[in-house]
Amino acid sequence: MFLTVLTRKPRSWSRLKAIVINAGMLSLMVANPVLAQEKIMKTLTVTGRGTEMAATSLAQIRLGVEAQGKTANEVQQEVARRSNSVVTLLKARNVERLETTGINLNPTYRYDSGTQTLTGYTASNIVSFRVATEKAGSLLDDAVKAGATRIDSVSFVASDAAIATAQKAALRKATQNAQEQADAVLSALGLVSKDIVSIQIGAAFTPPPRPVFAEIDALKKAAAAPTPVIGGDQQVEASVTLQISY
């Protein structure tokens, strides 16, 4: 009696082999979770802030002409005449960023026992400009002589170059502040910083200058001597956010 042995591999052998291999890999991944998922990076995020002062060298001024009269045409013509005289002076002094910021014409009324009576009109023309701080005092005096009847505000700003330099210094301080915060926290926890994963720079912020208001009557009284105008410093702020692994 003879026993016949078949040596041909079944058609599903390769498929069976693949299943066995995949099962082996699955068991390996379950035994070692590190291979199943990427290790989560531990990071600390801190935001540092820095402030730098920039010396101001420019005066930002808003002044204008205001007049009152019986008719709108009369008032408007008077304001136009005085405004042209003031603007001519400002252009002759080569002021910077000269622009009109307001033109107004409004009726004025008298109220008597609930009755409204038109008494005339008030008109104004306001301009703004920049000038070197050391020239601002004498220019204000001359503007009043030329016809200006109101000074809305005088504020002080640094030049673009000075602000750019201050912004860089503020960013350096903000970066150092963020690094110091991270070192303090990690040291307190007994941890050691490794790499800086990301850096975010906040836009440098320059608060608007605080205006200084001037009384027109005081300027008229000071006609014998230039009005003293003294600038100061302008603050520039910056922030930097660091993400540090540990």
Side-chain angles (χ1 to χ4, degrees), residues 22-106:
N22 289 336
M25 293 180 62
L26 180 60
S27 63
L28 179 60
M29 293 172 66
V30 173
N32 190 355
V34 177
L35 298 179
Q37 61 180 4
E38 185 179 353
K39 186 177 180 180
I40 299 176
M41 180 182 298
K42 295 180 293 183
T43 61
L44 171 66
T45 301
V46 291
T47 298
R49 291 176 173 80
T51 301
E52 183 71 10
M53 305 304 291
T56 62
S57 58
L58 299 170
Q60 178 76 44
I61 301 174
R62 277 171 47 91
L63 57 76
V65 172
E66 188 173 71
Q68 297 178 345
K70 294 294 183 180
T71 67
N73 184 57
E74 172 191 350
V75 173
Q76 190 64 22
Q77 287 185 357
E78 178 64 15
V79 168
R81 182 185 66 80
R82 294 185 183 180
S83 297
N84 286 332
S85 178
V86 172
V87 170
T88 299
L89 169 68
L90 296 177
K91 289 182 177 179
R93 299 292 179 87
N94 296 318
V95 300
E96 300 177 6
R97 303 186 185 184
L98 175 63
E99 62 179 349
T100 300
T101 57
I103 297 177
N104 298 286
L105 174 63
N106 299 299

Side-chain angles (χ1 to χ4, degrees), residues 163-240:
I163 291 177
T165 300
Q167 286 175 343
K168 294 177 182 178
L171 284 171
R172 284 193 292 269
K173 291 182 178 180
T175 303
Q176 294 171 358
N177 179 249
Q179 185 68 67
E180 290 171 356
Q181 290 183 58
D183 292 342
V185 171
L186 294 176
S187 176
L189 296 174
L191 302 173
V192 178
S193 63
K194 294 181 180 178
D195 299 317
I196 296 178
V197 179
S198 68
I199 303 173
Q200 294 182 350
I201 300 176
F205 174 66
T206 305
R210 184 176 62 182
V212 178
F213 298 96
E215 294 290 340
I216 197 69
D217 291 337
L219 291 176
K220 289 180 178 179
K221 292 178 181 179
T227 299
V229 176
I230 303 173
D233 293 329
Q234 188 172 9
Q235 182 173 290
V236 179
E237 302 172 359
S239 64
V240 173

Side-chain angles (χ1 to χ4, degrees), residues 77-179:
Q77 287 185 357
E78 178 64 15
V79 168
R81 182 185 66 80
R82 294 185 183 180
S83 297
N84 286 332
S85 178
V86 172
V87 170
T88 299
L89 169 68
L90 296 177
K91 289 182 177 179
R93 299 292 179 87
N94 296 318
V95 300
E96 300 177 6
R97 303 186 185 184
L98 175 63
E99 62 179 349
T100 300
T101 57
I103 297 177
N104 298 286
L105 174 63
N106 299 299
T108 57
Y109 299 94
R110 182 182 71 249
Y111 295 90
D112 185 14
S113 300
T115 302
Q116 177 179 286
T117 303
L118 179 66
T119 59
Y121 293 86
T122 300
S124 63
N125 190 330
I126 310 300
V127 297
S128 68
F129 58 92
R130 285 185 178 184
V131 66
T133 302
E134 64 270 16
K135 299 179 180 179
S138 60
L139 180 57
L140 288 175
D141 294 335
D142 291 341
V144 172
K145 295 176 183 178
T149 58
R150 55 185 289 182
I151 295 177
D152 289 352
S153 65
V154 178
S155 55
F156 303 99
V157 296
S159 65
D160 293 341
I163 291 177
T165 300
Q167 286 175 343
K168 294 177 182 178
L171 284 171
R172 284 193 292 269
K173 291 182 178 180
T175 303
Q176 294 171 358
N177 179 249
Q179 185 68 67

